[in-house]
Amino acid sequence: MSDHATMQSIARLVPQGARVLDLGCGDGALLDLLQRERGCSGYGIEIADDNVLACVKRGVNVIQLNLDEGLSMFDDASFDVVLQIDTLQHLRNAETMLVETARVGRCGVVAFPNFAHWPNRLSIARGRMPVTRRLPYQWYDTPNIRVGTYKDFEVLATKNRLTILDAYGLQDGREVRVLPNARAGTAVFKFERG
């Protein structure tokens, strides 16, 4: 998720000057934006060698770590905000990492492809897995090991006693607050421990 409007929308959920941990930070573009435009500090966590190198070139602090191993190296509430932007759907232990996000950060922000977006529903009704700009892979070569919806996350948050502070969808760089489960390709949630 690297388009500027989308990154700006997510950046608005992060307080000015916050200490941030970005899980699955990719090339570090979002953390770089947060450092430059919002005066934030912090670290990215990334596993891919090429992305770690890209972070270093951007001047983003990065730790090479497999998130499936957990966040035991971090104390409770050691960051103001923990981000999981396009990360949750790649993790084998998604629920555990969500709880860890709430433990390590005073609040968390997640964004993930919303499988309930209407073009995806239409594709399923036609008997095919969706292939869209947001879900650009065929079913057999996708890096996503799970799919979820806006509504699914609300249920998961409730199950884990997380309080949702803000929630909306993103579609073509615009925030969707009316019927986001059907009208947005990306679900975005800001939450804290309840």
Side-chain angles (χ1 to χ4, degrees), residues 123-138:
S123 187
I124 295 292
R126 290 180 176 156
R128 298 290 311 271
M129 287 296 287
V131 177
T132 64
R133 260 184 304 142
R134 191 66 182 96
L135 294 166
Y137 301 96
Q138 294 292 333

Side-chain angles (χ1 to χ4, degrees), residues 28-103:
L30 180 56
L31 200 48
D32 179 50
L33 180 140
L34 290 170
Q35 290 172 345
R36 285 183 294 103
E37 296 186 12
R38 302 197 55 83
C40 295
S41 63
Y43 294 89
I45 303 289
E46 180 56 47
I47 192 169
D49 292 337
D50 56 337
N51 282 336
V52 170
L53 182 58
C55 287
V56 171
K57 287 181 178 177
R58 285 183 192 271
V60 169
N61 295 321
V62 63
I63 300 167
Q64 191 164 25
L65 179 72
N66 182 342
L67 290 173
D68 284 324
E69 295 172 8
L71 298 176
S72 61
M73 67 188 301
F74 299 106
D75 293 331
D76 292 1
S78 51
F79 293 89
D80 298 312
V81 180
V82 178
L83 303 172
Q84 281 197 56
I85 311 303
D86 278 351
T87 303
L88 205 57
Q89 73 273 12
H90 299 282
L91 299 174
R92 297 203 181 287
N93 57 354
E95 184 174 9
T96 300
M97 284 306 299
L98 183 63
V99 171
E100 280 289 273
T101 295
R103 179 188 67 79

Side-chain angles (χ1 to χ4, degrees), residues 89-154:
Q89 73 273 12
H90 299 282
L91 299 174
R92 297 203 181 287
N93 57 354
E95 184 174 9
T96 300
M97 284 306 299
L98 183 63
V99 171
E100 280 289 273
T101 295
R103 179 188 67 79
V104 169
R106 289 179 177 82
C107 72
V109 176
V110 298
F112 57 89
N114 175 28
F115 203 70
H117 188 215
W118 73 265
N120 300 338
R121 294 179 190 203
L122 183 60
S123 187
I124 295 292
R126 290 180 176 156
R128 298 290 311 271
M129 287 296 287
V131 177
T132 64
R133 260 184 304 142
R134 191 66 182 96
L135 294 166
Y137 301 96
Q138 294 292 333
W139 67 271
Y140 51 83
D141 68 356
T142 181
N144 299 323
I145 62 172
R146 63 188 78 254
V147 293
T149 71
Y150 186 95
K151 291 291 184 186
D152 288 333
F153 188 86
E154 289 177 331

